[in-house]
Amino acid sequence: MSSEHVDVDLTVNGEPHSVSVEPRELLSQTLRERVGCTSINIGCESTLCGACTVHADGKAVKSCTRLTVQEDGAAIQTVQSLADDGVLGELQTAFTEEHALQCGYCTPGILMAVDEYLDDNPDPSRSEIRTEALQGNLCRCTGYENIVDAIDVAANALEE
Amino acid sequence: MHAEPFDYRRAESVADAIELLESTEDGRLLAGGQALIPLLKKREAAPGTVVDIGGLDGLRGIERTGSGIRIGALVTHREITDSALVGGVVPVLPTVVSKITGGIQVHNVATMGGNIARAHPAYDYAGALLASRARVDIAGPDGERTVPAADFFRGICSTCLGTSELVTGVEIDAVDGERCGGYAKRKEPASGGAVLGVATDLVFDGGDRREVTSARLAANGLCGSAVRLTAAEDVLTGSALSDETIAAAADAAGDTLDESDVLDNKKASAEYRRALLGPYVRRSVGKAVDG
Amino acid sequence: MATDPDDPGIGSETPRREDTRVLLGESKGTDDIELSDPLHAQFIRSENAHARYTIDAADARAMDGVVAVYTADDIEASETPTPRPFTLFAAPMTGLDYPDEALWQRCLGAEKAHYHGEILGVVVAETQRIARDALAAVDVSYDTLDPVVTPQAALADGAPAVHDDVPDNVVFAGGQGDEAATADAFEQAAYTAELHKDPQRISPSPLEPRSAIGRYDASSGQLDFVATTQIPHAYRRLMAQMLSYPEHRIDVTVPDMGGGFGARQHPYPADALVGWCAVDLEATVKWRSTRTENQLVENDGRGYEGTWELAMDETGDILGLRADITYDLGAWVARGAASLAEAGNLLMTGLYDIPAAYSHVTGVVTNTARIDAYRGVSSVPMIMMLERLVSKVAKQADMDPAEVRKRNFVEPDQFPYEAAGGALYDSGDYERNFDLGLDAVDYEAFRQKQARLREEGRYLGVGFSCWTEVAGLGPCGHIDVASWGYGSVQIHPTGEVTVYCGGANHGQGHETSLAQVAADTLDVPYDDVRVVENSTKEVNEGVGTYASRTAALGGGAVTKCCEKVVQKGKAVAAHEFGVSVEDVTYRDGTFATVGDDAQSLSFGEMASKAHLGIDIPEELEPGLEEQTYYDPENCTWPFGTHIAVVEVDPETGEFDFQDYVATEDCGVQINPTIVEGQIVGGIAQGLGQALYETVEYGDDGTLLSDTFRTERVGSSGGYTLPKAEHVPDVTIRSTETPSPHTPHGAKGMGESGSIAAPGAILNAVEDAIEPFDPEPMTPPITPEKIWRAIRGEDA
């Protein structure tokens, strides 16, 4: 059985894209394969690891668990949008200064999730960072502590 | 990673959604997709048609009703936890919803309707709806109906929904008095689901005696679907809140349980789940009382 | 210069260069590489653990966009040479019989399927989606055979044979140590302790699933790979062997890779088959694993079970250690598996001066996926069981477990120390390091608090785990495969430096740390140094990144290259100054003469002269480029102690961490921040072993733990990777006992957390519930197991 293609328009980091996709195509597949966003990483198949996290209309979502057809008209942002013309933002700077990444595979997804979290929760405790901010993301390399440190540092920096 | 192919239809209205479900043999509804899409990707579900109701604005929104509030089926977990209205009227609900697994990313798009229609025993919403005396609004080819939450959930991944019916919303009545809510959840570490979750919806007067005027407790994860803990409720209702009464309620919590209904699986044995019930009742009531 | 924050060198905590491209979203993994119109391979994998089978691929072959479907027969019949079996690391020190070639892993299950997930064929199509759809259209019929899913089942009388050539399923059996002396020790002991618990089989699970691209260019005869591997040069060699292809026409590149942890230390059937398809089709062929596929066949770690025993005299001196181990190899003997049996035995006595030890290992095949390296390898079960036994025997003798440990540590004046298992420990000061840990948890005060709180019905516990690891693997001849460290350093005429190293950086920070080493040794600015790794195209030789070897061997090779550069620089300067080499100094980036007529030449000026080659000593060649194959005289032996402090709730079996302290001594630390990151990352994995992770096969040999999260009713919920809410904050304290034999004193590290954390956590929980006199528990120790142990049940 083949399924009819559906036309979908979306913007990615401000650039418009028009695609014609099978309904079963995932947002992550469209972004990686058609738009060329290789920063979206696919670490699992069960909506757990969060390495594929992007912003859709300003909200963090796991792009592997959205059909592209669900995002018709959406404004998508990936980790590239966090830097300003190659200059790292506060959160990204904190990540490198606190050694919050090793292999880096989980990092773009964590940055996108935490970026939204800090907007709504500007002063989280370490416990809240572990149980809420990072609830939707996995890391296998760092053991998380430096990521918690980085988020803590970034939260303070952003508040100033 | 690649679902089997399917036809895709966007419903224009609730009636349209019902019609589409009626006219396709194996149609599934798509709301937030956080339950369905993982199944599609692993080919554990392969519907011929996916009916997308995500655009139905009529199913969004949280509004006051004469007796309390009505929550649209497409209301996301995030909207519940952000809602001062819900928190004011039925505090157990945002408390429970905040503990649904998946993180911000899932909470931003996963819906109440999708969660309860799936009726997975490890999901969290069911206990909160039982404890808060919620009613579920349903629409189908034979019209609309409303059922108490306890009648909605029928067993493991089983509800009273007919094949072409869908949840349109949930109604919860306000209650006079100081209402508070608590949720104690033992999470299964991989899936984040509830091995046991105890939801407490409590009203007690603010005076010295701290008399409990209403106590409703429900457990999810314990059995195939959520159950009320009426024995614990009976101990608490009309009593003065204290560590002793809470402990007594915790001890009595499983008295009405049919042991054979308690889930026994790799996540936890029935014996252990049963043993957790008392401590988790105590924690849940404690959290409700302490705020 | 080393401690100048603006100019990093050895010892600097400088942030990593690797980070920028990740943070900007510009890092590229194997699946991200742009290719023009590649073909896509997906594998037909057995759905049964043990079965004969037939494949009907007619429907798949007929689908639009399907280029080929290969079965074992098709591959055999093709003119492209059939892939050969994988060769193995040997284990010369154990004297274990080298496993028979019949047991070396094959690329396909040709005559039958030997494990769930074994490759039975390959589908190649124009897109990945078509390949996946075609896979679903391939019809495989199975004639199932009885599987053996555990080592006990494999060894039982009348058990089915995984391989017809090996009817008893035993691949090797042998002992390390002195059996007779150990038996005597147990005869004389006042106290003996025994444990039958197994450190369970677990999955490394790097976050990026595996992937490979094979690119064959008919006009040049070049076969290039881009792959998720830790060993680009060895991969090249193995692909050449397996595909009967000339090595010098193969190149391998490893882009940014999402983790390895040892699971990518050896290639897989998929790698060879991707290369095979590329040659057969004269095309570029790409394969990318799904997560499920990855969990099915990427190697597991540990797989040990057996009986461990410890003997102690009445004064608290440990007399002997004995282990009788069955080792689950999976269906085929994986490349590294046999050598791992040796590695753990070498250091089985841990940090203690135990005069007699004996470990017997029986390697057994089962109808499961392969077992091979995973961070810590067999040191994990050996140290975990040793440390549990030390605590157990201390308790039997009513002695303080910290005191028993200190009493038995190898003393500083005993180094180099030959351990009873065969290791030659290079250097150490165990007690000084251990005392740091005791101080960090305030041990004396803790025991008083513990006693007081027990009276209130609260149960706190403390657990120790002293550890050492085999790092800097290793001297040539140690494992019968190339194991030196390769480095080369090229000085540009401007004085800038390019360092080439033979590993594959995948999160360890080599681009940063090796630059620190070179900058420090050459006394040049850190920003003038660039590090190149991960490629046979750019780096001539190498062994790979595993076994905590890069700081010692890569860093050692780089250090030696830089020392050679400085030597040549002195000769060039001496020639320039008209003095002898002995009268030339090199400091702060400047060559100078001593004495009145102080002349000087900067590093850059010297490099320019050397490059030009005109004004240099006659006996020297022009240029300034040095290369080193560094064959160390020994492995290195980092060490330390992990101490966990917990509180257990007896009602539920749940517990919280109150404290977690890790002491570390890895000699000279090149970048302390990177060191700490490795410690905590390892602890999270060791915590996973202790509390959460277990590979689960059904009775029929089907892998049940094939996903990180599932809602399948009745399942365990998924293979549990620790999450942020599961891992405690860690306090780290370090001492620095340099390695006496590496050029720069670094020992390297990386595996301490996964080796030490299981014992520390298990000991802490068992110490907490000691008043209930529990039976020792088997990891992963879930709250339900702890609850049962409190109630006197066997968990």
Side-chain angles (χ1 to χ4, degrees), chain C residues 127-328:
Chain C
T127 71
Q128 190 184 75
R129 192 166 290 138
I130 294 171
R132 297 290 299 176
D133 287 342
L135 258 194
V138 172
D139 188 16
V140 187
S141 333
Y142 298 94
D143 213 341
T144 56
L145 304 165
D146 287 332
V148 285
V149 183
T150 65
Q152 298 102 317
L155 290 171
D157 281 333
V162 175
H163 299 278
D164 298 334
D165 301 358
V166 186
D168 64 355
N169 293 318
V170 174
V171 175
F172 57 74
Q176 245 166 292
D178 189 329
E179 188 173 11
T182 305
D184 283 344
F186 277 82
E187 291 294 310
Q188 294 160 37
Y191 302 99
T192 61
E194 190 179 288
L195 279 172
H196 303 279
K197 301 301 176 175
D198 57 281
Q200 78 286 16
R201 185 171 171 149
I202 59 175
S203 166
S205 302
L207 204 57
E208 178 189 7
R210 281 185 303 116
S211 192
I213 303 167
R215 189 174 2 208
Y216 175 74
D217 176 15
S219 63
S220 65
Q222 186 72 17
L223 175 61
D224 287 345
F225 288 85
V226 179
T228 51
T229 181
Q230 297 173 227
I231 54 159
H233 298 83
Y235 186 107
R236 173 173 67 179
R237 185 145 308 124
L238 289 163
M239 290 302 113
Q241 269 173 30
M242 294 176 69
L243 299 176
S244 306
Y245 204 91
E247 179 186 315
H248 67 300
R249 295 211 183 282
I250 295 178
D251 269 314
V252 180
T253 307
V254 182
D256 291 323
M257 177 162 77
F261 313 123
R264 294 158 192 196
Q265 178 184 335
H266 304 295
Y268 285 80
D271 297 293
L273 288 168
V274 164
W276 189 93
C277 289
V279 173
D280 198 64
L281 295 168
E282 297 191 357
T284 298
V285 176
K286 174 174 164 167
W287 160 73
R288 196 233 184 233
S289 178
T290 66
R291 172 51 60 188
T292 304
E293 184 183 6
N294 202 78
Q295 296 313 99
L296 256 186
V297 297
E298 188 163 72
N299 67 252
D300 291 333
R302 323 303 178 230
Y304 268 25
E305 57 188 67
T307 303
W308 279 258
E309 305 169 88
L310 199 66
M312 189 171 84
D313 73 14
E314 63 282 344
T315 69
D317 285 343
I318 300 171
L319 301 176
L321 168 70
R322 186 158 58 196
D324 186 13
I325 295 159
T326 315
Y327 180 19
D328 185 353

Side-chain angles (χ1 to χ4, degrees), chain B residues 1-2 42-43 118 120 123 186-191 266-269 271-272 275 280 282-283, chain C residues 128-129 132-133 290 649 651-652 654 696 704 707 709 711 715-717 720 723 725 783-784 787-788:
Chain B
M1 77 171 71
H2 295 282
K42 292 192 202 181
R43 300 193 174 198
R118 176 122 167 87
H120 194 284
Y123 278 16
R186 168 64 173 278
K187 252 179 139 160
E188 191 280 304
S191 64
K266 290 176 187 175
K267 293 185 173 76
S269 67
E271 188 191 356
Y272 180 62
Y280 274 74
R282 210 170 59 240
R283 290 179 196 178
Chain C
Q128 190 184 75
R129 192 166 290 138
R132 297 290 299 176
D133 287 342
T290 66
D649 173 8
E651 265 196 313
T652 60
E654 295 161 8
E696 201 191 343
L704 301 175
T707 179
R709 186 183 82 97
E711 292 184 351
S715 75
S716 67
T720 310
K723 305 181 175 50
E725 59 194 331
E784 177 165 353
W787 180 82
R788 288 188 183 282

Side-chain angles (χ1 to χ4, degrees), chain C residues 531-543:
Chain C
V531 175
V532 176
E533 251 196 326
N534 292 43
S535 169
T536 63
K537 284 189 193 189
E538 295 185 83
V539 182
N540 291 339
E541 262 295 359
V543 169

Side-chain angles (χ1 to χ4, degrees), chain C residues 429-449:
Chain C
D429 190 344
Y430 297 159
E431 185 162 340
R432 181 169 73 105
N433 181 280
F434 186 71
D435 282 340
L436 277 189
L438 292 183
D439 185 63
V441 297
D442 202 356
Y443 184 61
E444 288 298 325
F446 172 80
R447 285 296 187 194
Q448 289 162 17
K449 180 171 153 190

